Each structure stands twice: as C-alpha cells, then as structure tokens.
Amino acid sequence: MAQQRRPRPGLTTASVVTAGRRVIERDGLDALSMRSVAAELGTAATSLYRHVDGREDLLVAILEQVAKGLPVSVPGERPGDRLLTRFTEAHDYMARHIWVLHILIRGELVARNAFFFANACVEDFLEAGLPSDEAMSAFRSCWYLIIGELLAEHPLHPVRHPSQRDRLTAEITAAQFPALARYRTEVADGTPPSDLSRHALRALLSALLPGTSHSF
C-alpha cells in the first residue's frame, strides 16, 4: 500500500493561496484543483481543507490576493486626473492577470478587496459633481471598457497566426467596408495606435464628467 503523505509542517492559508495562484499562472485556470495545489505544496489534498473549504473558496482567496494590487490612492488634484490615472493603472495591472477577468465575467465571484478600488473611483465621480446613481454608472462604464479591451486584445491563450481573424481582415475591401479599408491603409503596419486604452478612457471620462474643467 502506498504511504500517504502527511500534512506538511508550516502549511498556512497564505501558502495555500500563493500555491494556487502559481498553478493558475503556470498551467491555466482549468488546472486549479485541490489536488494540483496539494501537489504543488508536496502535501495531501486533505491538508488543504484545514485552510480553505474547497476550490471555490480557494479561488476567492486568490482573487482577494490579486485585488490587493489594484490602485486606490493615486496622485492628482482633480478627481478626473485621479480617475484617469487609477483606471489606466488598473488596466495595466489587469493585463498581467487576464485569467482573473475570465472569472469575473461569469458574475459569480468577487473579491472584497476590489471594493476599495471601486469605492475610490465612485468617490472621485461624486467629487466631480455626479449624483450617486450616475457616479456608479460612470464607474461601471469605465470598468467595462477596461474589461472589454483586455479580453479582446489579450487572449487567455496564445493565438496562432495567421488566425481566422487575420485571414478575414486581410480580405477587407474598400468596396465593401470603406471605413475599415481606409483604417487598414492608413495604419499600414497593422499596429494599433499607441496607448489605445488610455485614449479611450480619456475620451470616456471627458464625456462622463460634468463641465469643461474636466477635459483631458
């Protein structure tokens, strides 16, 4: 009979969470399981249940760890400046954790630590003069812009080129799609304009914030 592994001495909730995050970032979200994390730690899966209730509980704890990195206090005298900085930094941070977005869009789990980021953003929208409902709507609009751009431009898995999208885009003609063909011609090297997300956030914030004093 194979000898069962004993709980590893010094196992903590923090080490379990860190190991789970390591499994996701190395092997992908689907690879996360109590067994895979136990193997990562060199212990028995049953040992993990002393620290987390199961895979979902572990996943929430990992989300909490990642959410701590979202920007909350940022420089800027005007609320609009702080919002642009905070959302831009959040975009760049989440670009390094695309797998998190694939959890969030399921609409089932959220990290409490993410509320600090959301609260700071809504507070700045309130300070800028928006009523509470519009402040929350403005925050969601900016956050959804970030999520949408990241999911579109940063796929979870590497894309093989030329992809079906590449081939179809190459077939665009001025007769069928004049605006798209013009864009492709003017951007000859196929590289999108630099700082695309910041440009979009700046435009959206300018539209959402009241008064011309908040233009960027």
Side-chain angles (χ1 to χ4, degrees):
M1 179 180 297
Q3 185 178 4
Q4 291 186 343
R5 287 177 292 185
R6 297 179 180 178
R8 197 177 75 172
L11 196 65
T12 65
T13 301
S15 65
V16 171
V17 172
T18 299
R21 181 173 173 178
R22 199 160 54 239
V23 168
I24 293 175
E25 294 178 343
R26 184 188 63 227
D27 303 324
L29 185 58
D30 292 340
L32 181 71
S33 68
M34 299 299 279
R35 287 192 176 188
S36 65
V37 175
E40 184 76 13
L41 291 167
T43 188
T46 52
S47 300
L48 305 186
Y49 288 93
R50 301 178 182 180
H51 304 280
V52 293
D53 292 335
R55 184 181 186 276
E56 182 173 301
D57 188 43
L58 174 58
L59 198 51
V60 171
I62 294 171
L63 291 178
E64 293 287 3
Q65 188 182 82
V66 174
K68 285 182 179 180
L70 286 169
V72 177
S73 298
V74 297
E77 294 185 2
R78 302 185 306 171
D81 295 331
R82 293 193 297 271
L83 285 163
L84 180 60
T85 297
R86 191 180 295 110
F87 279 121
T88 301
E89 290 184 1
H91 170 277
D92 295 344
Y93 178 69
M94 295 310 299
R96 301 191 295 273
H97 305 87
I98 295 297
W99 55 270
V100 172
L101 302 181
H102 288 264
I103 300 172
L104 298 182
I105 61 177
R106 296 175 186 173
E108 300 172 355
L109 304 178
V110 68
R112 183 178 183 275
N113 283 326
F115 291 167
F116 294 105
F117 167 78
N119 187 75
C121 292
V122 174
E123 281 185 339
D124 277 335
F125 279 118
L126 290 170
E127 185 178 332
L130 294 180
S132 294
D133 58 338
E134 292 184 19
M136 180 59 73
S137 178
F139 164 71
R140 287 172 174 163
S141 296
C142 293
W143 181 240
Y144 295 160
L145 171 64
I146 289 174
I147 292 178
E149 191 272 343
L150 287 174
L151 290 175
E153 299 298 330
H154 302 268
L156 185 60
H157 304 292
V159 176
R160 293 184 179 181
H161 294 285
S163 65
Q164 184 270 349
R165 178 190 291 186
D166 295 330
R167 294 191 296 271
L168 191 61
T169 301
E171 296 173 2
I172 290 176
T173 64
Q176 285 184 306
F177 310 107
L180 298 181
R182 176 178 174 179
Y183 169 80
R184 192 181 64 181
T185 300
E186 292 179 354
V187 187
D189 62 358
T191 303
S194 61
D195 213 3
L196 186 61
S197 60
R198 187 179 181 90
H199 173 78
L201 281 168
R202 186 184 294 112
L204 180 57
L205 285 169
S206 294
L208 291 170
L209 295 172
T212 57
S213 60
H214 294 288
S215 60
F216 299 95

